[in-house]
Amino acid sequence: MSLETQINQDIKAAMIAKNTAALRGLRAIKAAILLAKTEKGHAEDLNQEAEIKVLQKLVKQRRESAEIYKTQNREDLYQIEVEEEKVIEAYLPKQMSKEEVEAVIKAIIAETGASSIKEMGKVMGAANQKLAGQADGKTISEVVKSLLA
């Protein structure tokens, strides 16, 4: 079952349950998928990798907005962003811990033979491919920098 079909079913369930937090998050996912499908150069249906990228983008937006609201003491808006983030994250693959990411990146560094921070791009490219959907770019970048420094 495609993500879009799953989201449509979950929207119906959230409407029946009158779960407004889930409904907001699900509608955001649906809108982002529709937008991605209509972008120039995309096929009619999104593949799983493209769907994961869309979801990661939404989670990142929610986190950034939540941080801003937290610093501005807007607890009401902060809470909304956190609720939506949790709903969206439920559709992403399980995220790896920092230790697991570190182990994978150590293997990539050994594979590529990188030894200095100058070769970070080579390691980041391989790491982003291997860890797509399982870890966010910020965590990957931090681990690569610490291991190459």
Side-chain angles (χ1 to χ4, degrees):
M1 178 183 327
S2 74
L3 178 64
E4 188 174 16
T5 308
Q6 179 69 42
I7 295 298
N8 286 330
Q9 290 176 355
D10 291 347
I11 285 175
K12 290 174 191 171
M15 285 177 158
I16 292 169
K18 297 189 184 333
N19 185 347
T20 57
L23 200 53
R24 278 193 315 268
L26 292 168
R27 284 180 173 157
I29 294 171
K30 184 176 180 177
I33 289 172
L34 287 173
L35 189 64
K37 283 173 70 172
T38 59
E39 281 180 356
K40 195 174 186 180
H42 276 287
E44 186 64 31
D45 285 331
L46 297 176
N47 59 12
Q48 188 175 7
E49 186 178 314
E51 290 173 345
I52 288 172
K53 283 184 180 179
V54 168
L55 292 175
Q56 285 178 325
K57 181 179 177 184
L58 290 174
V59 168
K60 183 179 179 187
Q61 288 172 344
R62 298 301 179 283
R63 281 192 184 130
E64 290 171 353
S65 297
E67 285 178 31
I68 292 169
Y69 291 140
K70 187 82 168 170
T71 59
Q72 295 178 350
N73 295 323
R74 291 297 309 264
E75 196 62 37
D76 54 334
L77 297 174
Y78 169 77
Q79 206 57 42
I80 290 171
E81 296 295 328
V82 170
E83 289 170 353
E84 288 181 18
E85 179 185 339
K86 287 179 183 171
V87 170
I88 297 167
E89 280 181 334
Y91 294 93
L92 281 171
K94 183 186 173 294
Q95 298 291 298
M96 296 174 82
S97 69
K98 196 165 186 169
E99 291 76 30
E100 292 170 321
V101 171
E102 197 169 312
V104 171
I105 292 177
K106 281 181 182 176
I108 291 171
I109 289 174
E111 238 175 66
T112 59
S115 59
S116 71
I117 199 78
K118 291 178 183 176
E119 298 169 295
M120 183 176 169
K122 189 189 320 180
V123 176
M124 282 295 294
N128 282 330
Q129 275 187 332
K130 201 167 200 170
L131 298 172
Q134 298 174 334
D136 66 325
K138 188 176 179 183
T139 305
I140 295 171
S141 175
E142 288 173 0
V143 172
V144 170
K145 280 180 186 174
S146 68
L147 291 175
L148 289 178

